[in-house]
Amino acid sequence: MKLFDSNFWIMLALLVALSAVALSRGGPPLLADAMSGGARQFLRFALGLFVAFLVAGLVESLLPRAWVSSALGERSGWKGLALASAVGLVTPAGPFVSMPLAAGMLRAGAAPASVVAFVASWGLLAIHRLIAWEIPMLGAPFALSRWVLCLGVPIALGALARLFWRAGAV
């Protein structure tokens, strides 16, 4: 695993560019304020990120590769997409858990299409978010209508992703 991959260099370039903008707009006080705010946010989430990545590593190590390959791998077909969507639907966590979990699924032998279905389902259909946030804030008629309308989207996106990977477009 490369520590300084393209993501690092992109984020570093963005940091330098935004720092220059902050300096030009408000000088060193604005830059210092912005950097201290970013550091506070990092400290707030660092432990959660660390624990989430440990969970993802454990999931990857504990899930039998043979099972992941057969249940979510390239030959899993529609059942794999449906299973991945179901797992995304019940994953009770934010991106600090779901994204490392998705990465762990890929490393454990899940097909990219299944992981697309998982991520799409987690983003669109997560039950915990529907119950805790959407119904109370948006009302049951709207929240449930939106949820039902999105039910088939993760499987469709997984199927589309499978076509992209097979065509070599990704």
Side-chain angles (χ1 to χ4, degrees):
M1 178 181 84
K2 287 174 55 177
L3 181 60
F4 299 112
D5 62 3
S6 61
N7 292 325
F8 171 81
W9 294 112
I10 291 168
M11 293 306 293
L12 184 62
L14 187 59
L15 173 65
V16 170
L18 290 174
S19 295
V21 170
L23 280 172
S24 72
R25 288 194 179 170
L30 178 61
L31 180 62
D33 186 49
M35 292 294 189
S36 66
R40 280 191 308 274
Q41 192 169 5
F42 170 76
L43 291 174
R44 179 176 172 214
F45 291 110
L47 184 59
L49 277 171
F50 179 69
V51 170
F53 281 101
L54 291 177
V55 166
L58 282 168
V59 167
E60 180 183 344
S61 296
L62 295 174
L63 281 176
R65 286 191 175 279
W67 181 84
V68 173
S69 289
S70 67
L72 299 172
E74 292 296 335
R75 297 177 190 233
S76 63
W78 293 103
K79 286 182 183 178
L81 298 179
L83 177 61
S85 295
V87 172
L89 188 137
V90 298
T91 299
F96 296 144
V97 173
S98 60
M99 293 302 122
L101 182 60
M105 291 166 66
L106 282 171
R107 288 190 300 270
S114 294
V115 178
V116 166
F118 165 77
V119 172
S121 179
W122 168 81
L124 291 171
L125 302 172
I127 291 290
H128 74 282
R129 193 170 44 249
L130 176 71
I131 294 169
W133 295 100
E134 292 185 42
I135 291 174
M137 295 182 101
L138 303 172
F142 177 85
L144 292 172
S145 295
R146 186 214 56 83
W147 193 84
V148 168
L149 289 170
C150 292
L151 272 175
V153 173
I155 292 174
L157 290 175
L160 204 59
R162 183 176 287 140
L163 291 174
F164 281 141
W165 263 274
R166 286 185 183 155
V170 179

